[in-house]
Amino acid sequence: MPLSSLESLQLPIVEFTSKEIVFKENEVADSIYILIEGKVRVYSADIELMTVDKYGSFFGQSSGLLGESLGATVETLCPSKFYRIDHASEYILQHT
């Protein structure tokens, strides 16, 4: 699906302030977050792995779909907006 089609899915939009944790390393999450605007840093054991500010970037998909623990922490660097897919594995089954 092209990124331009994300809007048509009518997913909930969630907003985070600067320095807010979206996901914490080693937790299990059942949601996937898709960046709309803003910037996040991804780090593990206090080592920065990357910063991301690209529209459509996904976070939490391995945990949300497979039930695996998260391999890194995702923290906002500025106010950021995301689409959120709750109960990701169920959502995918219902929409494919």
Side-chain angles (χ1 to χ4, degrees):
M1 170 183 302
L3 292 177
S4 60
S5 298
L6 286 173
E7 293 85 8
S8 68
L9 297 176
Q10 299 180 341
L11 297 169
I13 295 175
V14 293
E15 298 184 34
F16 291 87
T17 60
S18 183
K19 303 288 185 192
E20 197 168 351
I21 301 295
V22 179
F23 288 119
K24 190 147 182 82
E25 184 175 12
N26 297 319
E27 291 182 350
V28 176
D30 74 344
S31 296
I32 295 174
Y33 288 80
I34 306 166
L35 186 63
I36 299 170
E37 63 183 47
K39 187 173 186 177
V40 300
R41 79 179 186 116
V42 180
Y43 62 94
S44 177
D46 293 327
I47 298 170
E48 187 169 299
L49 304 173
M50 68 180 84
T51 59
V52 181
D53 63 358
K54 185 175 179 182
Y55 173 83
S57 296
F58 283 73
F59 303 94
Q61 60 271 26
S62 63
S63 184
L65 294 173
L66 304 174
E68 297 176 356
S69 60
L70 295 158
T73 297
V74 176
E75 177 185 19
T76 58
L77 294 174
C78 62
S80 301
K81 288 183 183 180
F82 299 84
Y83 292 114
R84 185 180 67 214
I85 301 174
D86 292 318
H87 312 291
S89 57
E90 292 173 26
Y91 181 89
I92 297 299
L93 288 173
Q94 293 172 0
H95 293 87
T96 57

